[in-house]
Amino acid sequence: MDIKFNQNEDVNKLMLSELKKRLAKVALGGGKAKIEKQHAKGKMTARERIDYLLDKKAERIEIGAFVGEGMYEEHGGCPSGGVVIKMGYVAGKQCLVVANDATVKAGAWFPITAKKNLRAQEIAIENRLPIIYLVDSAGVYLPMQDEIFPDKEHFGRIFRNNAIMSSMGITQISAVMGSCVAGGAYLPIMSDEALIVDKTGSIFLAGSYLVKAAIGESIDNETLGGASTHCEISGVTDYKAKDDAAALDTIKNIMGKIGDFTKAGYNRIETEKPKENPEDIYGILPGSRSEQYDMMEIIKRLVDNSEFEAYKDGYGQSILTGYARIDGWAVGIVANQRKVVKTKKGEMQFGGVIYSDSADKATRFIANCNQKKIPLVFLQDVTGFMVGSKSEHGGIIKDGAKMVNAVSNSVVPKFTIVIGNSYGAGNYAMCGKAYDPRLIVAWPSAELAVMSGNSAAKVLLQIETASLKKKGETITKEKEKELFDKIKQRYDDQVSPYYAASRLWTDGVIDPLDTRKWISMGIEAADHAPIEKQFNMGVLQV
């Protein structure tokens, strides 16, 4: 171990500590007082419900833990988007669980809440994965109704997806464990089976106050839409449970009787741990995003037995491509090489940059994985495509377009891990969010932006100073530095992995040591959905 390794380790473990602190804060939802209020009503919190429901010793991952962080501060904030989503196992069946967090504005839906719910449904649809809704929500957050109600990707899309999933044969089970009002009342009833908890659960299109105002009828909420009403009179719900635990036990019993699914058939053998110590990742990964390192050393600590079968090893060396296994699953890995390499022609290729030959190699490899039905894993640490006259004359745009084409038309499941930089068109070519990875997560070391903070700040500073000079202002070196620092700080906040995660540009920020679990559970989920179309890159310039 050298001093640089130790320095890197210190920086990365500090970032990991920050991640754990943020996760601990997120776990409190709307705060301890709101949790106690939930308990006083005889109700579990959203996280307690999920923990009770999921198989105790089985793996689980949380989707979108940081959604809403730093957003809606003028409305009191929206931790985790007011909804908790986890992928795990119930009675041995892999599934998604979506639970409204009533400690956050009584479980009301903010714009980001709808986006997060739609992401859960997207994952369920792509992977034909059963989904369980634990409903406890006051409905749309009215002060922001114009940002959540009428558009295509707004609240109504949830119910459209309920119908689509039903037609696809994807199991949906809902438990009404608190409020379920107005349009939100359609969600549980559009599920295959619906449960309701006695005395605490209620379903109605309009509550007692609105009914009184609208038609003059005086009625209490329990009589209007409580468990007895919907299980014995309306027939809206299928099961009545005495409390949260009983409702969750019923869901376990239902899930335990679901038949097996038709598998996609991705190759898996017995898992082996990496031979190289995964914890070395903290010392290998530089503390600065501009420093070089050997991505192969990271790969060795992610894959089974630390074995990697390189494809076109000596060609296009700024991208590493090859076959490996992760938790027994066969995968094809496409990774940005972050060290400077020397080609056979004697040319230097800089780390993190995609060159024409690298794009060509990656395109061919992606096609091969589609031919062989091997899931793809993208390890991003990319600054973009190579620029300059030599690259332009060599057709970098055309070669980059081929790679983007291959990623776009890939039919095998794709998984993206943002390790370091994720800048510009490099984000696209390496399967950024716009290219439909089944799961996309970032390490605490990640940065997502059009360009680096330094580069962007320099460009923006030129624009700002030019504007001030036009107004007749004198720009001293001190003033220029002040402007630069201010611009860079603002930009650095936006390139943070937490900024991206809060807006659901990624599914979360994770400990690097959890990477194997995310990929393995992701492929297992994808195995529920056989490939239904052929890989075809369409019209392609060669």
Side-chain angles (χ1 to χ4, degrees), residues 169-240:
I170 297 171
T171 297
Q172 299 177 83
I173 301 170
S174 289
V176 178
M177 312 180 85
S179 297
C180 182
V181 300
Y186 288 106
L187 184 147
I189 313 313
M190 294 186 76
S191 300
D192 303 338
E193 297 185 81
L195 304 83
I196 186 168
V197 178
D198 196 20
K199 300 297 185 289
T200 56
S202 58
I203 309 171
F204 35 67
L205 295 180
S208 57
Y209 292 120
L210 188 54
V211 168
K212 177 69 174 176
I215 64 172
E217 181 184 3
S218 295
I219 190 170
D220 63 89
N221 282 337
E222 183 65 24
T223 306
L224 181 66
S228 294
T229 294
H230 287 309
C231 285
E232 299 166 20
I233 300 173
S234 72
V236 165
T237 50
D238 307 307
Y239 307 90
K240 179 166 71 171

Side-chain angles (χ1 to χ4, degrees), residues 229-407:
T229 294
H230 287 309
C231 285
E232 299 166 20
I233 300 173
S234 72
V236 165
T237 50
D238 307 307
Y239 307 90
K240 179 166 71 171
K242 66 176 182 179
D243 55 24
D244 283 7
L248 298 169
D249 286 336
T250 301
I251 293 173
K252 292 179 186 181
N253 291 335
I254 295 169
M255 288 293 292
K257 295 175 179 65
I258 294 175
D260 206 356
F261 56 91
T262 302
K263 295 176 174 62
Y266 301 117
N267 185 292
R268 191 182 198 185
I269 61 173
E270 190 173 340
T271 184
E272 292 188 50
K273 293 181 179 179
K275 275 187 177 177
E276 302 291 341
N277 184 3
E279 292 199 7
D280 289 347
I281 288 171
Y282 302 127
I284 295 166
L285 191 66
S288 167
R289 297 283 61 78
S290 61
E291 291 181 38
Q292 306 289 306
Y293 64 96
D294 189 352
M295 179 64 82
M296 184 56 69
E297 294 303 316
I298 299 289
I299 292 173
K300 286 178 183 177
R301 287 154 178 85
L302 294 177
V303 301
D304 290 14
N305 213 29
S306 298
E307 292 177 348
F308 180 78
E309 188 175 350
Y311 171 82
K312 288 185 177 289
D313 193 24
Y315 176 70
Q317 295 179 73
S318 74
I319 286 183
L320 300 170
T321 53
Y323 304 104
R325 288 189 183 274
I326 292 178
D327 197 25
W329 295 103
V331 296
I333 294 177
V334 181
N336 302 110
Q337 176 57 286
R338 278 309 312 261
K339 70 176 184 179
V340 176
V341 294
K342 192 173 183 179
T343 69
K344 299 295 182 183
K345 296 178 182 179
E347 299 169 336
M348 303 302 290
Q349 290 194 350
F350 298 98
V353 180
I354 301 176
Y355 292 77
S356 284
D357 54 358
S358 303
D360 175 59
K361 177 173 80 170
T363 300
R364 290 169 180 266
F365 181 71
I366 291 166
N368 279 342
C369 287
N370 276 271
Q371 182 82 1
K372 297 178 177 69
K373 205 162 76 170
I374 300 173
L376 284 159
V377 174
F378 292 83
L379 303 179
Q380 283 195 9
D381 194 345
V382 58
T383 52
F385 285 89
M386 190 60 189
V387 297
S389 60
K390 185 175 180 180
S391 291
E392 298 293 358
H393 297 170
I396 185 66
I397 295 176
K398 182 173 67 175
D399 290 320
K402 290 179 191 176
M403 184 176 173
V404 170
N405 190 315
V407 173

